Amino acid sequence: MEDDVRIQKAKSVLLAKKSELNSRQVSRDDIAIERNAEVLDEIQQHADRTLALDTLTRRFRTAALVAEALDRVDDGSYGTCANCEEPIPEKRLDAIPWAKYCIACQEIADKSEGDIDLREAA
Ligand SMILES: [Zn+2]
């Protein structure tokens, strides 16, 4: 019962995040390449562009995680670590409702750049 409430709450947070991520358009200026003779400006622009692409990449990743989390809400596995199948601590889900792994498995995933099969790595 209490779990249900929590999962419904998580679901609404996830749906809100999903529409937020979908609605935010990438501004053309974010990735535009402007010609400029000044070398320093070019370096700055390159840095800006890299940052913009970084932000984009992160946004796509989060969007993918949010979508996966919503799938897990639907199939009833939400809140369970996708690797070790232990429950993900409530505090972690409060902070990151789309968390896919428990903290220990997340650390392994971070070290291995995320998407490798953790079962084989372990
Ligand atoms: Zn785990």
Side-chain angles (χ1 to χ4, degrees):
M1 176 66 175
E2 198 190 297
D3 270 7
D4 268 10
V5 173
R6 201 182 313 134
I7 287 171
Q8 286 314 311
K9 213 173 112 192
K11 188 175 181 178
S12 58
V13 172
L14 289 166
L15 287 170
K17 185 72 184 174
K18 188 179 169 187
S19 61
E20 182 203 320
L21 287 165
N22 287 340
S23 69
R24 230 189 297 154
Q25 297 291 331
V26 184
S27 140
R28 259 171 171 274
D29 295 339
D30 282 350
I31 47 178
I33 305 169
E34 281 179 43
R35 294 279 158 235
N36 196 309
E38 298 287 337
V39 174
L40 279 177
D41 273 4
E42 273 186 28
I43 292 170
Q44 182 58 49
Q45 279 170 18
H46 180 76
D48 288 350
R49 220 157 62 231
T50 307
L51 193 72
L53 288 174
D54 224 54
T55 306
L56 256 181
T57 308
R58 234 177 305 129
R59 199 185 300 167
F60 281 133
R61 267 192 208 149
T62 305
L65 286 172
V66 168
E68 282 181 41
L70 283 165
D71 283 347
R72 290 198 298 276
V73 168
D74 285 342
D75 73 18
S77 65
Y78 180 79
T80 303
C81 175
N83 183 53
C84 69
E85 293 173 11
E86 291 292 319
I88 298 173
E90 241 176 89
K91 270 190 185 167
R92 176 161 167 75
L93 287 173
D94 283 345
I96 313 168
W98 48 89
K100 186 175 178 180
Y101 303 120
C102 70
I103 292 166
C105 292
Q106 184 66 57
E107 278 173 11
I108 302 170
D110 285 347
K111 275 182 201 144
S112 54
E113 302 266 311
D115 263 359
I116 66 147
D117 190 334
L118 288 162
R119 276 169 221 270
E120 276 185 21

